[in-house]
Amino acid sequence: MSRKQERAVRTYELVLDAAATEFARRGYQRTNLQDVALSTGLTKGALYGHFSSKEVLAATLTEMFDRELTRLADEAAAEHDSAIGQLCTFVRRFAVRLYTDVRISAALRLSIDQAIESSQPPTCLNRLRRHISRLVTTARQDGQLKAGCPAEPLADLLVAALVGAHYTAPAEADPLPERVSAMWRLILPCVTDPGPG
């Protein structure tokens, strides 16, 4: 890769991080590309050389979110045979990514903003719920959940707890991954028979 190409890649990444920070903090409507350009030290024209619009920036971040969900699900599947083991690993690692990666946090915020504006279910949350629901349903079919534990409400609870913990914690709260682990310690014994997970 030439120096010019390396510089272009670094600038692309810099713009994505700056835009993600703005989107995560301000939401879609209140994010201004001029602010993104200022925070990167680029001119607005240089920024447009990498991303033609705010919409393209937002779409890039939500596509990254989807790829990250698939990657986390694949990793969990490679490490665990049981659906409950995969589910625990997937949710915990997603919590880590949500806490540590502003791009993931921004994509989630963008998805929620989109849902508010369009009265449609949040795209990224739907993708997250699909991954969790698939694992919960498999755990149910494999007899890993207690007999009275319905799969779909459990999937809804897990998504709501994960996203709610991200958005509602006071500043002095433990980091999201620690809070999600604590929630798992409460939820898991209630929904599984002893042994799995």
Side-chain angles (χ1 to χ4, degrees):
M1 185 182 298
S2 72
R3 271 185 206 208
K4 185 176 180 180
Q5 290 171 320
E6 287 176 4
R7 191 169 44 249
V9 168
R10 281 195 307 273
T11 303
Y12 178 89
E13 297 295 326
L14 180 68
V15 170
L16 269 180
D17 285 339
T21 299
E22 291 295 316
F23 284 134
R25 187 176 358 161
R26 300 173 188 248
Y28 183 82
Q29 292 299 331
R30 293 178 49 213
T31 292
N32 181 315
L33 287 187
Q34 183 63 43
D35 294 333
V36 173
L38 285 172
S39 70
T40 61
L42 297 172
T43 66
K44 204 167 175 184
L47 186 145
Y48 281 125
H50 292 277
F51 296 95
S52 60
S53 67
K54 183 165 75 166
E55 293 82 9
V56 171
L57 263 168
T60 301
L61 290 167
T62 55
E63 288 167 13
M64 288 178 158
F65 183 97
D66 198 32
R67 286 193 305 271
E68 184 64 10
L69 288 180
T70 300
R71 186 185 71 77
L72 292 173
D74 290 346
E75 281 181 2
E79 293 177 29
H80 299 280
D81 291 331
S82 77
I84 288 293
Q86 290 177 40
L87 180 63
C88 292
T89 296
F90 174 78
V91 170
R92 285 181 177 134
R93 288 189 183 160
F94 178 76
V96 169
R97 297 295 289 148
L98 188 56
Y99 181 70
T100 61
D101 189 336
V102 70
R103 294 178 185 185
I104 301 301
S105 182
L108 183 60
R109 171 75 187 263
L110 289 166
S111 180
I112 292 169
D113 286 356
Q114 174 193 15
I116 291 168
E117 290 294 318
S118 67
S119 299
Q120 298 294 319
T123 307
C124 289
L125 282 181
N126 280 345
R127 292 176 185 142
L128 176 62
R129 190 188 182 289
R130 270 199 309 269
H131 283 283
I132 289 175
S133 180
R134 178 183 54 79
L135 291 169
V136 169
T137 300
T138 302
R140 179 91 176 119
Q141 291 166 348
D142 292 350
Q144 296 171 339
L145 296 182
K146 287 185 177 177
C149 182
E152 292 306 308
L154 177 57
D156 288 336
L157 173 66
L158 294 174
V159 172
L162 182 58
V163 174
H166 175 64
Y167 280 114
T168 62
E172 68 277 2
D174 288 335
L176 180 65
E178 291 175 27
R179 287 182 286 119
V180 167
S181 290
M183 286 189 294
W184 264 128
R185 286 191 295 275
L186 288 173
I187 294 170
L188 205 54
C190 297
V191 300
T192 61
D193 290 319

